[in-house]
Amino acid sequence: MQITEIYKSLQGESTFAGLPCVFVRLTGCNLRCSWCDSEYTFSGGRRMSSAEVEAEVNRLSPPRGRKRLVEITGGEPMLQERELIPFMRRLLEQGYIVLLETSGERPLGNVPKQVHKIVDVKCPHSGAADTFKDENLAALSEHDELKFVLSNRADYEFARDFVKQRKPKVKEVLFSPAFRKDARGERSASQCLLDPEQLAQWMLADGVEARLGLQLHKFIWTPETKGV
Ligand code: SF4
């Protein structure tokens, strides 16, 4: 697999937020979201065998028998599906809780059912609108999560209507304000493209069945910090 980085941190943006987690960040992405904070994953990285990645995950994780969380992210990890699927199966066999962060642009039908998919449906202002494949809704289960990263009212309305019309059968729907791409220094909601208070008001007014999520790691570490 082509790997940008493997590190231990706290999970930041799902119902697992706040839990210790090992991240495996795969290199390469086929989208170019306007607010992307992971452009360093688009190229480079280093070639590692699945066994080498697994050994590093084991080294960074608590011993077997304790809660062991691994998130596969990117870039777009499903671009390396051929090696990734057997790799995730091996992690599951070892008792890991496996999270997969993906845009849902690639088919998700082959992902093992026990993997918790966190699917980041791209909204209009991301610059990658209409990339989510509707057929992937059928591949989602009640332990998966759908995430919408929102920059403005148009994004919010897209997400609200998506949930209302398609009624996804998932554990949770997450609405999260996008962070400014050029955010530096201050750890504050003022660095969000969409004010969380404004988003909360819209969600309450519309009675949206979703959870407001903040990118936890952007409030713990300064927004420009990588590898967290
Ligand atoms: S899918 Fe993720 S990694 Fe790819 S451009 Fe969008 S935000 Fe960046």
Side-chain angles (χ1 to χ4, degrees):
M1 290 187 279
Q2 195 69 21
I3 301 290
T4 294
E5 56 187 356
I6 304 173
Y7 60 95
K8 181 165 62 176
S9 186
L10 299 181
Q11 214 285 340
E13 4 179 4
S14 72
T15 61
F16 294 88
L19 293 175
C21 180
V22 172
F23 291 81
V24 178
R25 191 178 293 284
L26 279 70
T27 307
C29 189
N30 52 346
L31 304 186
R32 292 293 179 265
C33 302
S34 56
W35 35 253
C36 178
D37 62 359
S38 307
E39 290 174 328
Y40 64 103
T41 67
F42 291 171
S43 59
R46 65 182 169 129
R47 189 84 202 148
M48 293 175 75
S49 69
S50 297
E52 287 170 329
V53 178
E54 197 176 321
E56 184 62 0
V57 169
N58 283 332
R59 188 182 73 77
L60 293 170
S61 298
R64 214 173 171 137
R66 288 189 32 204
K67 192 172 201 164
R68 303 203 291 177
L69 205 61
V70 181
E71 175 161 324
I72 313 292
T73 186
E76 172 49 63
M78 287 303 287
L79 295 176
Q80 301 186 52
E81 176 181 357
R82 192 172 54 81
E83 291 166 291
L84 183 59
I85 301 278
F87 174 68
M88 291 193 291
R89 277 208 196 94
R90 273 198 301 281
L91 291 177
L92 290 166
E93 283 162 13
Q94 291 187 49
Y96 282 99
I97 299 167
V98 181
L99 317 182
L100 171 68
E101 172 102 16
T102 173
S103 72
E105 189 276 336
R106 303 272 99 191
L108 298 176
N110 292 334
V111 176
K113 291 285 171 253
Q114 305 96 306
V115 170
H116 299 258
K117 296 186 282 296
I118 302 166
V119 182
D120 185 352
V121 180
K122 302 303 178 188
C123 297
H125 195 70
S126 69
D130 302 323
T131 51
F132 175 78
K133 294 281 186 294
D134 268 352
E135 51 269 33
N136 277 330
L137 282 176
L140 299 179
S141 71
E142 58 286 347
H143 68 205
D144 294 328
E145 306 185 17
L146 271 190
K147 185 173 73 169
F148 297 84
V149 178
L150 312 172
S151 301
N152 55 23
R153 177 75 192 183
D155 281 356
Y156 166 74
E157 288 180 3
F158 167 86
R160 179 197 63 191
D161 295 347
F162 184 107
V163 173
K164 204 168 162 186
Q165 288 159 11
R166 295 185 169 79
K167 299 184 173 40
K169 306 244 178 317
V170 289
K171 174 184 178 188
E172 197 71 274
V173 175
L174 307 156
F175 283 13
S176 180
F179 244 73
R180 292 180 193 285
K181 196 172 166 175
D182 58 357
R184 297 284 179 277
E186 198 187 349
R187 294 167 292 160
S188 144
S190 66
Q191 304 262 29
C192 295
L193 287 170
L194 172 60
D195 181 357
E197 185 181 348
Q198 175 68 83
L199 175 58
Q201 285 169 1
W202 290 341
M203 290 173 72
L204 289 168
D206 289 341
V208 176
E209 286 191 70
R211 178 197 296 232
L212 195 159
L214 298 173
Q215 292 181 291
L216 193 61
H217 48 290
K218 305 271 193 193
F219 292 89
I220 299 173
W221 293 280
T222 53
E224 68 272 25
T225 309
K226 303 293 181 224
V228 291

